[in-house]
């Protein structure tokens, strides 16, 4: 639908908020909920800074998130469900919000985890930080469900206006704390946080998340990726970080430089196995494209297959979703 792309852009927006427009939106959200407009609006640079600001609020009153966000959403969903019926509502959600849900929900979860990691210096502090995060309205990261209601009434216009122009916000009776959007966002083709030379998500105040193809990594971890050796990869005790190292270094390069031996060879390709301490084996099939490149060379592909694979044919067949006995290509490509 026409609204999905615009809300996808909202969810991924970076750069300075339009503060005037966002403030107009949150005031409208309060009025739409039957509440008096907030007396104070406190701007901060990131969700982490927002949690710190909320903890310092004085005389802000109780959280009004339920009135401002939860109830209007539930009532609009019920209205649309009654109007469209179960099948109609399911079709609407599939065509709109479902297109954005997975990536935006995952990003919001990562931000929450990052805030907790930064602010909860002691285990006993975690619950306090998480409680503050429960009061947040997600602004631009509420794009998935806002997409489903766009153009279908004006009840949620205030929430939508804040989302288009700012980040997360915390509504209380007499005060609102609202965050700027991130300055930078880097994702891979699957929508996962991904950057090999810096933060994948960064806010102006230094709050940042680091990731490689969706996998959270420490900031200092990225600094050593360009100096990796097979020995360093083998010595890494964290299995998940070791997988990141292997992906960055390249399985084929690792095999070549670590002196690995093939475990099986047939007409479909060569099966290689990398034994990793404390982790499942990495098993790869090396296949050669039978169609030559324009320069006459033949491109080599490396296909990762399940650890239990015993033959090259079984590995290639697995990539096609069939058993080795069923794999009989008419023409190898």
């Amino acid at each position: 639908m026409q609204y999905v792309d615009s809300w996808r852009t909202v969810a991924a927006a970076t750069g300075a908020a339009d503060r005037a427009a966002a403030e107009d939106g949150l005031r409208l959200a309060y009025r739409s909920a039957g509440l008096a407009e907030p007396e104070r609006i406190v701007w901060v640079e990131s969700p982490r800074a927002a949690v710190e600001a909320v903890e310092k609020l004085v005389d802000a009153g109780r959280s009004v998130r339920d009135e401002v966000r939860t109830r209007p959403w539930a009532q609009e969903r019920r209205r649309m469900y009654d109007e469209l019926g179960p099948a109609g509502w399911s079709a609407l959600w599939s065509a709109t919000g479902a297109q954005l849900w997975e990536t935006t929900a995952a990003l919001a979860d990562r931000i929450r985890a990052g805030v907790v990691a930064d602010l909860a210096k002691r285990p006993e502090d975690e619950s306090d930080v998480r409680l503050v995060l429960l009061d947040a309205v997600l602004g631009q990261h509420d794009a998935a469900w806002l997409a489903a209601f766009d153009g279908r009434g004006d009840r949620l216009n205030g929430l939508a206006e804040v989302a288009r122009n700012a980040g997360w916000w915390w509504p209380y009776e007499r005060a609102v704390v609202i965050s700027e959007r991130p300055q930078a966002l880097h994702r891979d083709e699957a929508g996962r946080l991904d950057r090999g030379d810096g933060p994948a998500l960064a806010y102006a105040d230094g709050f940042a998340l680091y990731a490689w193809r969706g996998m959270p990594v420490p900031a200092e971890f990225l600094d050593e990726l360009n100096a990796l050796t097979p020995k360093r990869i083998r010595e890494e005790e964290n299995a998940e970080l070791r997988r990141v190292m292997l992906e960055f270094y390249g399985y084929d390069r690792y095999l070549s430089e670590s002196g690995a031996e093939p475990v099986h060879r047939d007409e479909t390709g060569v099966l290689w196995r990398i034994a990793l301490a404390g982790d499942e084996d990495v098993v790869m099939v090396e296949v050669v494209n039978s169609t030559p490149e324009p320069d006459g060379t033949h491109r080599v592909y490396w296909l990762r297959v399940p650890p239990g694979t015993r033959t090259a044919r079984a590995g290639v067949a697995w990539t096609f979703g069939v058993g080795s006995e069923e794999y009989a290509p008419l023409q190898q490509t």
Side-chain angles (χ1 to χ4, degrees):
M1 288 189 174
Q2 59 178 317
Y3 302 111
V4 175
D5 287 342
S6 65
W7 281 105
R8 181 177 286 110
T9 299
V10 167
T14 57
D18 184 332
R19 294 192 175 191
E23 290 180 9
D24 285 346
L26 65 85
R27 291 189 182 100
L28 175 57
Y30 270 65
R31 293 196 303 271
S32 299
L35 300 171
E37 296 180 7
E39 300 165 9
R40 290 174 288 152
I41 299 174
V42 180
W43 280 90
V44 294
E45 297 294 335
S46 72
R48 180 186 65 186
V51 170
E52 294 177 308
V54 166
E55 291 175 335
K56 296 174 183 176
L57 282 178
V58 177
D59 195 31
R62 64 178 179 83
S63 170
V64 292
R65 183 184 187 277
D66 281 352
E67 294 95 321
V68 169
R69 194 271 196 191
T70 306
R71 291 179 196 170
W73 181 90
Q75 290 165 359
E76 284 300 285
R77 182 186 182 280
R78 169 53 61 182
R79 181 178 69 84
M80 294 305 303
Y81 187 89
D82 292 343
E83 179 181 320
L84 299 173
W89 165 254
S90 179
L92 173 64
W93 176 252
S94 296
T96 56
Q99 305 293 315
L100 310 177
W101 178 258
E102 186 174 346
T103 53
T104 54
L107 181 56
D109 285 345
R110 288 292 308 279
I111 291 171
R112 290 189 192 96
V115 171
V116 171
D118 274 16
L119 296 183
K121 301 304 182 185
R122 304 172 302 170
E124 56 266 35
D125 296 333
E126 275 197 28
S127 60
D128 291 338
V129 176
R130 292 186 187 280
L131 283 173
V132 175
L133 288 167
L134 287 176
D135 288 338
V137 180
L138 302 188
Q140 68 182 119
H141 299 138
D142 271 334
W145 66 267
L146 287 169
F149 298 106
D150 202 348
R152 295 178 175 274
D154 58 8
R155 176 74 186 279
L156 305 179
N157 283 0
L159 292 168
E161 191 66 10
V162 182
R164 289 189 182 100
N165 294 287
W168 295 19
W169 55 291
W170 280 253
Y172 297 91
E173 286 181 293
R174 291 178 290 278
V176 170
V177 175
I178 184 167
S179 170
E180 287 279 351
R181 296 180 296 209
Q183 285 192 324
L185 173 65
H186 300 270
R187 297 189 288 192
D188 64 12
E189 63 279 357
R192 303 172 300 182
L193 289 176
D194 178 45
R195 189 179 178 192
D197 59 354
L201 181 75
Y203 286 83
D205 62 356
F207 174 58
L209 302 177
Y210 295 80
W212 171 258
R213 296 182 182 174
M215 169 69 190
V217 296
E220 60 274 12
F221 174 79
L222 296 176
D223 295 336
E224 65 170 321
L225 287 181
N226 289 313
L228 284 176
T229 64
K231 181 175 182 292
R232 171 67 185 91
I233 294 171
R234 286 193 297 271
E235 291 173 347
E236 175 56 51
E237 295 181 355
N238 184 302
E240 292 184 326
L241 293 183
R242 192 164 55 217
R243 289 172 193 166
V244 173
M245 290 177 169
L246 277 168
E247 287 190 4
F248 187 90
Y249 197 73
Y251 293 105
D252 54 340
R253 183 182 173 195
Y254 180 87
L255 287 167
S256 173
E257 296 182 8
S258 61
E261 296 288 339
V263 296
H264 183 264
R265 186 189 305 267
D266 60 29
E267 73 281 2
T268 65
V270 182
L271 188 72
W272 298 83
R273 183 178 300 273
I274 305 172
L276 299 173
D279 197 5
E280 66 182 19
D281 291 355
V282 173
V283 180
M284 310 286 293
V285 178
E286 176 189 0
V287 297
V288 178
N289 189 351
S290 61
T291 303
E293 299 296 308
D295 63 0
T297 61
H298 292 262
R299 182 174 296 181
V300 175
Y301 293 94
W302 295 83
L303 311 174
R304 182 149 185 197
V305 296
T309 305
R310 294 290 179 261
T311 68
R313 172 178 286 275
V316 174
W318 178 85
T319 68
F320 286 97
V322 299
S324 58
E325 67 284 353
E326 301 172 77
Y327 178 66
L330 295 177
Q331 181 179 357
Q332 187 179 0
T333 59

